[in-house]
Amino acid sequence: MPQAAALSQAWGNRPRMRLKLAPGLTIKESPIDGKGCFATAPFGRRRKIAEYAGERISNAQARRRSQRRILRICAVDDRWSLDGSRGGNGTHYINHSCTPNSYMKIVHGHILFFALRDITPGEEITIDYETTLHSDRKRCTCRARTCRGTINKV
């Protein structure tokens, strides 16, 4: 079954969503939280994994949308954000971990993900969210030995 068809079936009776995934990535159930973004190809240390994709919105709109239970919004700068739940490429499923295997870097208005270390196929791609639109009380579920207990660094 093609990947996009499998993803659209996973949502049951909801409208069918056709998601074009970034190369080398797949979406599946995550032991961290809900669905996660997993490598289907190896990513060497310091190598680009993918670029975050989504609808470009103002930060004021991002704050309004932050009332949702599940957020897929990533800030680009002090004026703009991207909402990966609209027009995303699978990178919006990258979960938080207090011991991440990748990091995010903003270059000329583009949000890029890079490997902190070698990542093998089958591994879940994770980053340390550090600061988000979530409440500072939002609990972390990464299960790392060094888990700080919250998604945001407080």
Side-chain angles (χ1 to χ4, degrees):
M1 177 182 296
Q3 227 171 11
L7 284 172
S8 63
Q9 284 182 356
W11 277 277
N13 292 332
R14 292 185 190 174
R16 301 284 182 200
M17 182 173 94
R18 304 228 4 109
L19 184 66
K20 179 152 175 47
L21 296 174
L25 302 178
T26 192
I27 308 306
K28 59 185 184 179
E29 292 301 315
S30 166
I32 296 173
D33 185 41
K35 294 191 183 319
C37 185
F38 291 79
T40 60
F43 293 102
R45 182 173 181 237
R46 296 190 194 127
R47 296 290 180 197
K48 179 180 154 188
I49 296 170
E51 180 174 349
Y52 194 85
E55 177 187 11
R56 184 178 171 166
I57 59 174
S58 70
N59 286 341
Q61 179 67 23
R63 282 188 295 282
R64 284 190 292 277
R65 291 183 186 181
S66 73
Q67 302 310 307
R68 298 177 188 162
R69 190 179 70 77
I70 297 174
L71 296 180
R72 304 291 185 203
I73 298 172
C74 196
V76 176
D77 56 30
D78 61 353
R79 189 168 173 210
W80 299 104
S81 292
L82 293 178
D83 185 347
S85 68
R86 299 181 182 183
N89 61 357
T91 54
H92 57 286
Y93 287 105
I94 293 177
N95 279 319
H96 163 80
S97 175
C98 294
T99 55
N101 58 11
S102 63
Y103 65 97
M104 184 181 80
K105 184 175 184 178
I106 299 171
V107 180
H108 303 294
H110 296 268
I111 301 170
L112 307 174
F113 295 99
F114 293 90
L116 277 170
R117 59 166 175 77
D118 290 345
I119 298 172
T120 59
E123 277 191 78
E124 183 169 6
I125 306 295
T126 60
I127 64 168
D128 185 342
Y129 287 179
E130 296 183 15
T131 56
T132 70
L133 292 170
H134 288 291
S135 160
D136 286 344
R137 295 184 312 270
K138 180 153 176 94
R139 305 300 304 158
C140 177
T141 57
C142 75
R143 301 183 187 128
R145 266 187 267 142
T146 58
C147 180
R148 64 178 169 257
T150 60
I151 287 180
N152 291 339
K153 277 187 179 176
V154 289

